[in-house]
Amino acid sequence: MDMNKPHSEELDIYKPSPEKVYSILDTSPNGLSEEKAKIRLEKYGPNQIEEVKKNPLIFKFLENFYNILAILLWAASILSFISGTPQLGFAIIGVIIINAIFSFWQEYQAEKATEALKKILPSTAKVIRNSKERGILAAELVPGDIIALEEGDNISADSRLVEAFQFKVDNSTLTGESRPVRKTHEGMSGKGHTFVEMHNLIFAGTSVTYGSGKAVVFSTGMNTEFSKIASLTQTVKDEQSPLQKEINKLAWTIAAIAILMGVTLFGVNIFVIHLPLAIGFLFAIGLTVANVPEGLLPTVTLALAAAARKMASKNALIKRLSSVETLGSTTIICTDKTGTLTKNEMTVRKIWIPNELIDVTGAGYTPEGQFLHKGKEISYDEMKELKLLMRTSAFCNDAKLIKPSGPDENWKILGDPTEASLLVAAYKSGFNLEEELKRIPRITELPFDSIRKSMSSIHQKENKKVAYIKGAPKKIISLSNQISENGKIRPLLDGEKEKIVKIHDELAKKGLRLLAMAYRNLSNDFTDYRPETTEKNMIFLGMMAMQDPPRSEVYNAVDQCHRAGIRIIMITGDYGLTARSIGEEIGIISSDCQVVKGKEINEMSDEEIVQLLSSGCDVIFARAVPEHKMRIASILEEEDEIVAMTGDGVNDAPALRKADIGVAMGITGTDVAKGASDMILTDDNFATIVTAIKEGRTIYENIRKFITYIFAHLTPEIIPFVFVVLFNIPLAITVMQIIAIDLGTDTLPAIALGRGPPESDVMNRPPRPRKERLLNFPVIIRGYIFLGLIEAVLVMSGYFWVLYGGGWQFGQILPFSDSLYIKATTIVFVGIVMAQIGNLLTIQTTRTSVFKIGIFTNRWVIWGIIFEVAVVLAILYIPQLQSIFGTTPLGIIEWLYVVTFIPIMFFADELRKYLIRR
């Protein structure tokens, strides 16, 4: 083989038998050595698709010059030139450029943060190297690697199957065909098939939907079939989130208000007051600029990105920024039980074989412990049924135990935790899996299926075949017609089946999860390996009871959900009694909860399910399958609920896509489930969902806070223009001073509010209604009217205090260059900044007192205040800036006067919050 250019179409890799494939690709069933893999990685490069070039950064930068607020400022600058004030026109152009740079930088930082989050959970693959199976980064795969695959895995490289057990793949990324395609490992001629249709080839970008197998990699990176369509998949544009759309609507609303007020003021100035045209233009421009919150759009983007980074540090990986805001509105969490509410540390605690109960000691996945029968230690071969039970639990199993490589490490598992617990129990009993498999090798397997709830492993034992079966107890019991007791096989009568079910129920009530074991002897010429032909007329062996205790942090998380008005619905494939026991223990349900089984869901209409969910009683859906999740999510969304749905399997993907927030498990979740989700839990923990919801609520409130903060200073900036019209007095603030506030002193404080901590009562309020607007009436009242008017009264009092103190008479016109006028406008400028410091301190909370969370808990607030003061001092005391912004230094008396604005604003809003709480 020419390993310089490994490509299957040249090699006809689909033709030879599996045995010959190894030699063609210069590998073996034991896999590559690490040394050889390293050499090939250097030769072929990493197994990854070269990214399509994105739009140049310059285009993203230029986009900031033609959003609606920028267009409004462009219009204002043009009017400035027309009115004969070119210095103002250039100043506004400067504002546009500065704002574009600021916006671009924040969006660039947000994009970088999002890209970094995508790398937190890199794609992995299971390979066999040096005869050992282990996980590696998919980018490290090389031609000749042996990959182990099972249901839910993404296929990371083009490969030839050498083992396949009921193997099916989803080829839709290559062919568009949504139906799973059956694959086998036998050689084929290839006639009548296209390359991607070969039934023994699998391709990068596809996924395993059923079964398990092994394959040899023949093409990686840009040599894969998927690389041919990579450019198409990478050009999909991210849609705007609902919040971003609402912010854009808000910008258009502000623009409309600014234009309306500017035109109105211009008309009054020209036709009522009869001011000169240039002055009328100047005032109209000033009012327009005063209405534009220049830093609003970039601050929202940065706040969302910062929230996503914060969630990632708390084990919640947000794949789309739009999910951040949706989380805050969540009304219902539909959650699995195993691994999400519980620790996912399955440990076999009890074993039941006919008329005998055996206790199992030890915890976790360490194969150390004892089997105790009536207080005496026993081994697996002391009872025939126990020996067969251990053989079945170990044979009918695809999990792997990995020994610790050092004294400080623990045993690890590859595969399903439930299967791993069965394997651990077998090892505890003294069962030697490797030796038994040499004596009784596996022929094939019938993988577990969530519909039939069972799995079979068929083995060759001397001159016959044996099917070892494990599955849901009631299913296995119903399909068994014999039972093994004291080494003898006898008929299993219906009455005895009912007694075994009662024993099962008693154990399940204690929170134990049970699996039943059985076997069936087959003739040596039996080849019809299908569930319906294999899993019948079985010999029942017994049951194994496992315990998966609740996570310690779940209790508090459930309590938070109850206080926050979020309903929790458990949808589990487990037995109803076990689910009820866990649900009652952690507080999800009360004792009068209704458990609805999968069969009952099938028999209920959508209206009946709606009636059940709206009846007020707690509900658990047990023995549910992924299709039930999909149906429940659809029904809840039709009832206008905002649903977070957890899932980890391939078949959970439709439900994860359907839910408002699809939540995949980062540890046990399949690649397909992760791909379909909006959020990935890197710790598989229910409490992390609640933490993410808390962050979602917090970020939405924080965005409202900095909108309130920005709007609070718009009122004192607008009032002076109104006073000019009503009272014919000198304009109390210049356009350049407005620009200094909007794009200078207020930028960092607004960002600080966007990154603030949650309020103490954020999880004591009901979820935000889906249709509630970001800029709602309370925000307008608090920002524009309450805080804005107080701030306007304060700064205008300072304005008149300085004017009257300097000998000004009402109605007297002062030129812009007059020293008294400059001092009066300076105190208005400084007064707004000081008032905004008070606002910054108090707006950190909406209802809770700031003293309860700590005034300076958010360190960004401190930097925001330092930044504001530094900008003001620079504008007041640097001569070059004095001439640009029309300011003059203030005396100690004036400083003492405006500094009082800080506590006045602060305590005014604290009083408002106190009255609301009362």
Side-chain angles (χ1 to χ4, degrees):
M1 165 194 170
D2 178 12
M3 288 297 289
N4 288 314
K5 191 177 181 183
H7 200 284
S8 181
E9 287 177 284
E10 295 179 0
L11 299 171
D12 288 341
I13 198 68
Y14 49 85
K15 288 183 178 180
S17 64
E19 293 75 19
K20 291 183 179 179
V21 170
Y22 294 113
S23 61
I24 292 173
L25 292 169
D26 192 19
T27 185
S28 74
N30 297 326
L32 299 173
S33 65
E34 292 295 341
E35 294 76 14
K36 189 174 282 188
K38 185 177 180 181
I39 292 170
R40 294 190 183 184
L41 183 61
E42 291 175 358
K43 190 172 189 178
Y44 303 119
N47 176 39
Q48 56 192 28
I49 306 298
E50 293 177 6
E51 287 196 11
V52 173
K53 289 184 179 180
K54 298 180 179 178
N55 284 336
L57 291 177
I58 186 64
F59 290 146
K60 290 191 174 184
F61 175 63
L62 293 175
E63 285 175 5
N64 293 289
F65 287 93
Y66 52 84
N67 63 53
I68 180 60
L69 298 184
I71 291 171
L72 201 60
L73 291 174
W74 279 116
S77 69
I78 292 170
L79 290 173
S80 300
F81 287 110
I82 293 173
S83 65
T85 52
Q87 65 272 26
L88 179 59
F90 285 121
I92 295 175
I93 291 173
V95 168
I96 298 169
I97 295 171
I98 293 170
N99 191 47
I101 294 171
F102 179 66
S103 299
F104 169 73
W105 178 249
Q106 297 213 58
E107 288 168 7
Y108 176 69
Q109 290 295 317
E111 186 175 295
K112 280 180 63 179
T114 306
E115 291 298 321
L117 292 177
K118 291 177 182 177
K119 297 176 182 177
I120 291 177
L121 277 178
S123 179
T124 59
K126 287 176 287 187
V127 300
I128 298 171
R129 287 186 181 171
N130 292 329
S131 303
K132 294 181 180 178
E133 183 177 312
R134 68 183 187 88
I136 66 168
L137 294 176
E140 296 174 1
L141 283 174
V142 296
D145 258 328
I146 312 296
I147 54 175
L149 298 161
E150 60 185 12
E151 179 182 315
D153 287 346
N154 278 341
I155 299 166
S156 303
D158 291 0
S159 310
R160 161 65 196 269
L161 285 167
V162 289
E163 288 183 19
F165 300 110
Q166 304 287 316
F167 200 80
K168 294 182 181 180
V169 298
D170 177 0
N171 266 353
S172 57
T173 52
L174 290 177
T175 65
E177 175 58 54
S178 59
R179 292 176 57 189
V181 180
R182 181 77 173 268
K183 296 285 184 175
T184 65
H185 63 283
E186 301 297 336
M188 60 181 293
S189 67
K191 290 182 179 180
H193 297 277
T194 63
F195 186 59
V196 295
E197 291 174 340
M198 301 298 179
H199 63 61
N200 55 17
L201 301 184
I202 54 177
F203 300 95
T206 63
S207 57
V208 184
T209 61
Y210 191 76
S212 60
K214 291 179 182 177
V216 186
V217 175
F218 60 77
S219 287
T220 59
M222 296 307 292
N223 286 324
T224 63
E225 290 296 308
F226 186 69
S227 67
K228 298 175 183 177
I229 59 169
S231 58
L232 297 178
T233 63
Q234 292 182 33
T235 54
V236 178
K237 292 184 178 180
D238 290 332
E239 289 187 6
Q240 281 192 321
S241 73
L243 180 61
Q244 289 165 329
K245 291 177 181 177
E246 192 169 339
I247 291 292
N248 285 335
K249 289 179 182 177
L250 178 61
W252 278 96
T253 303
I254 292 170
I257 293 172
I259 292 170
L260 180 63
M261 293 182 70
V263 170
T264 302
L265 182 65
F266 178 76
V268 172
N269 284 336
I270 299 302
F271 300 110
V272 178
I273 303 178
H274 304 292
L275 289 176
L277 186 65
I279 299 297
F281 263 131
L282 182 65
F283 285 1
I285 292 165
L287 187 61
T288 302
V289 173
N291 269 290
V292 177
E294 290 88 353
L296 179 62
L297 301 179
T299 306
V300 169
T301 304
L302 188 66
L304 288 172
R309 280 199 302 269
K310 188 175 180 181
M311 290 183 188
S313 70
K314 296 182 178 181
N315 301 312
L317 177 60
I318 301 295
K319 294 173 60 182
R320 285 177 278 272
L321 287 184
S322 59
S323 303
V324 175
E325 77 229 38
T326 311
L327 276 164
S329 303
T330 302
T331 59
I332 291 178
I333 303 174
C334 295
T335 177
D336 294 314
K337 177 184 72 66
T338 303
T340 310
L341 297 172
T342 60
K343 292 182 178 179
N344 206 22
E345 292 180 359
M346 283 288 185
T347 304
V348 175
R349 291 297 180 197
K350 295 185 182 294
I351 293 173
W352 182 88
I353 55 177
N355 300 317
E356 303 290 351
L357 192 63
I358 299 166
D359 294 309
V360 183
T361 65
Y365 298 116
T366 304
E368 296 174 1
Q370 298 176 322
F371 277 36
L372 300 176
H373 180 239
K374 297 179 180 178
K376 179 184 175 183
E377 184 179 357
I378 62 170
S379 65
Y380 80 99
D381 55 359
E382 292 182 37
M383 298 179 181
K384 181 181 178 183
E385 286 73 32
L386 183 59
K387 182 176 182 178
L388 286 169
L389 196 74
M390 291 299 99
R391 181 182 292 165
T392 304
S393 66
F395 281 5
C396 204
N397 201 312
D398 289 324
K400 300 283 191 303
L401 289 182
I402 303 173
K403 292 182 179 180
S405 57
D408 297 328
E409 293 189 10
N410 297 320
W411 284 75
K412 297 178 182 178
I413 66 166
L414 275 176
D416 181 69
T418 301
E419 290 193 342
S421 71
L422 301 179
L423 203 55
V424 170
Y427 284 142
K428 287 178 182 178
S429 72
F431 184 82
N432 190 320
L433 176 60
E434 290 75 16
E435 290 299 321
E436 286 287 297
L437 281 174
K438 288 179 183 177
R439 195 169 61 86
I440 313 173
R442 177 188 273 186
I443 301 170
T444 188
E445 74 170 45
L446 301 177
F448 176 81
D449 184 279
S450 60
I451 301 296
R452 77 176 205 278
K453 293 183 171 61
S454 60
M455 171 186 177
S456 295
S457 185
I458 295 93
H459 292 250
Q460 185 71 49
K461 186 181 180 185
E462 298 170 352
N463 60 349
K464 66 178 179 181
K465 295 175 182 176
V466 182
Y468 297 95
I469 305 106
K470 80 165 189 289
K474 290 187 178 180
K475 172 72 180 294
I476 301 300
I477 293 168
S478 66
L479 294 176
S480 299
N481 59 2
Q482 293 178 295
I483 187 170
S484 179
E485 182 180 7
N486 298 324
K488 297 180 180 178
I489 297 172
R490 59 175 177 80
L492 179 59
L493 303 177
D494 289 343
E496 192 170 3
K497 287 183 180 182
E498 293 174 5
K499 288 180 181 179
I500 296 173
V501 170
K502 286 182 180 179
I503 293 169
H504 167 274
D505 290 351
E506 289 300 317
L507 291 171
K509 285 178 183 177
K510 298 176 182 178
L512 296 171
R513 183 183 182 188
L514 289 93
L515 285 175
M517 312 290 165
Y519 73 99
R520 180 187 173 199
N521 291 316
L522 305 170
S523 63
N524 204 35
D525 59 355
F526 184 89
T527 56
D528 190 7
Y529 303 125
R530 292 178 296 141
E532 56 269 30
T533 57
T534 306
E535 296 174 352
K536 63 179 183 178
N537 301 327
M538 301 183 296
I539 302 169
F540 188 77
L541 293 171
M543 298 180 289
M544 299 178 74
M546 295 149 281
Q547 186 181 48
D548 184 15
R551 294 176 181 266
S552 57
E553 58 271 32
V554 161
Y555 298 90
N556 181 54
V558 169
D559 181 58
Q560 283 191 63
C561 285
H562 289 324
R563 287 188 282 108
I566 301 170
R567 186 177 183 185
I568 304 170
I569 298 176
M570 187 192 299
I571 307 176
T572 177
D574 213 339
Y575 192 59
L577 291 173
T578 306
R580 178 191 284 272
S581 173
I582 294 293
E584 287 181 356
E585 182 178 348
I586 63 179
I588 285 180
I589 58 169
S590 56
S591 55
D592 61 347
C593 152
Q594 186 169 348
V595 177
V596 181
K597 298 176 184 176
K599 289 183 179 178
E600 295 172 325
I601 299 174
N602 293 335
E603 296 168 357
M604 297 173 72
S605 65
D606 288 358
E607 291 73 21
E608 288 173 323
I609 293 177
V610 169
Q611 190 175 0
L612 172 68
L613 293 172
S614 59
S615 63
C617 71
D618 298 317
V619 180
I620 285 179
F621 294 101
R623 285 300 185 214
V625 296
E627 290 75 11
H628 294 145
K629 285 185 177 183
M630 176 68 176
R631 185 180 175 200
I632 291 166
S634 300
I635 291 171
L636 289 171
E637 288 197 357
E638 286 177 6
E639 293 301 303
D640 213 28
E641 302 285 358
I642 298 179
V643 181
M645 175 74 72
T646 68
D648 55 11
V650 176
N651 293 335
D652 286 329
L656 294 177
R657 289 194 185 96
K658 180 63 180 174
D660 295 281
I661 295 288
V663 184
M665 304 298 111
I667 299 173
T668 60
T670 61
D671 294 334
V672 175
K674 292 173 189 176
S677 66
D678 303 293
M679 180 171 78
I680 299 172
L681 306 183
T682 59
D683 61 353
D684 289 13
N685 193 338
F686 176 83
T688 302
I689 304 174
V690 181
T691 300
I693 289 174
K694 185 177 181 180
E695 289 297 331
R697 289 188 174 193
T698 299
I699 190 60
Y700 198 87
E701 287 300 313
N702 284 349
I703 291 172
R704 274 187 169 162
K705 288 170 188 174
F706 68 65
I707 288 176
T708 303
Y709 176 79
I710 290 170
F711 283 3
H713 72 70
L714 295 183
T715 303
E717 291 174 359
I718 293 169
I719 289 293
F721 293 94
V722 177
F723 273 35
V724 168
V725 174
L726 295 179
F727 307 116
N728 195 25
I729 62 170
L731 184 64
I733 190 170
T734 69
V735 176
M736 291 302 296
Q737 289 167 355
I738 290 173
I739 291 172
I741 293 169
D742 290 2
L743 211 59
T745 61
D746 267 6
T747 52
L748 192 58
I751 294 172
L753 289 171
R755 305 185 72 161
E759 294 186 39
S760 59
D761 67 340
V762 71
M763 292 298 281
N764 292 340
R765 312 173 201 162
R768 185 181 76 251
R770 187 190 290 266
K771 296 180 180 179
E772 183 175 309
R773 310 301 300 179
L774 183 66
L775 184 62
N776 60 5
F777 191 64
V779 172
I780 295 172
I781 291 293
R782 187 186 184 193
Y784 262 128
I785 300 175
F786 180 72
L787 295 175
L789 286 178
I790 294 175
E791 192 170 325
V793 169
L794 290 175
V795 299
M796 292 307 293
S797 71
Y799 179 67
F800 287 116
W801 173 58
V802 169
L803 285 180
Y804 280 117
W808 176 78
Q809 299 294 320
F810 192 87
Q812 181 182 352
I813 301 300
L814 295 175
F816 292 154
S817 59
D818 186 274
S819 60
L820 179 62
Y821 175 74
I822 292 173
K823 187 175 184 180
T825 57
T826 299
I827 204 168
V828 171
F829 166 66
V830 177
I832 290 176
V833 175
M834 293 300 108
Q836 284 296 93
I837 291 176
N839 285 336
L840 175 62
L841 296 173
T842 188
I843 289 174
Q844 291 182 83
T845 60
T846 304
R847 292 166 48 91
T848 310
S849 171
V850 176
F851 294 108
K852 195 166 185 178
I853 68 164
I855 296 178
F856 296 112
T857 300
N858 181 2
R859 62 185 175 84
W860 284 87
V861 167
I862 301 173
W863 289 110
I865 293 173
I866 293 172
F867 178 77
E868 282 187 289
V869 173
V871 171
V872 166
L873 293 176
I875 290 174
L876 261 64
Y877 293 100
I878 296 176
Q880 293 85 350
L881 295 180
Q882 288 176 357
S883 60
I884 293 173
F885 293 98
T887 59
T888 188
L890 296 180
I892 187 68
I893 300 300
E894 288 90 357
W895 271 111
L896 288 175
Y897 187 86
V898 294
V899 166
T900 62
F901 295 177
I902 299 174
I904 291 172
M905 296 302 303
F906 178 82
F907 286 108
D909 199 52
E910 282 294 300
L911 176 61
R912 179 197 65 82
K913 287 182 275 190
Y914 171 75
L915 294 174
I916 289 175
R917 291 196 304 272
R918 294 279 290 184

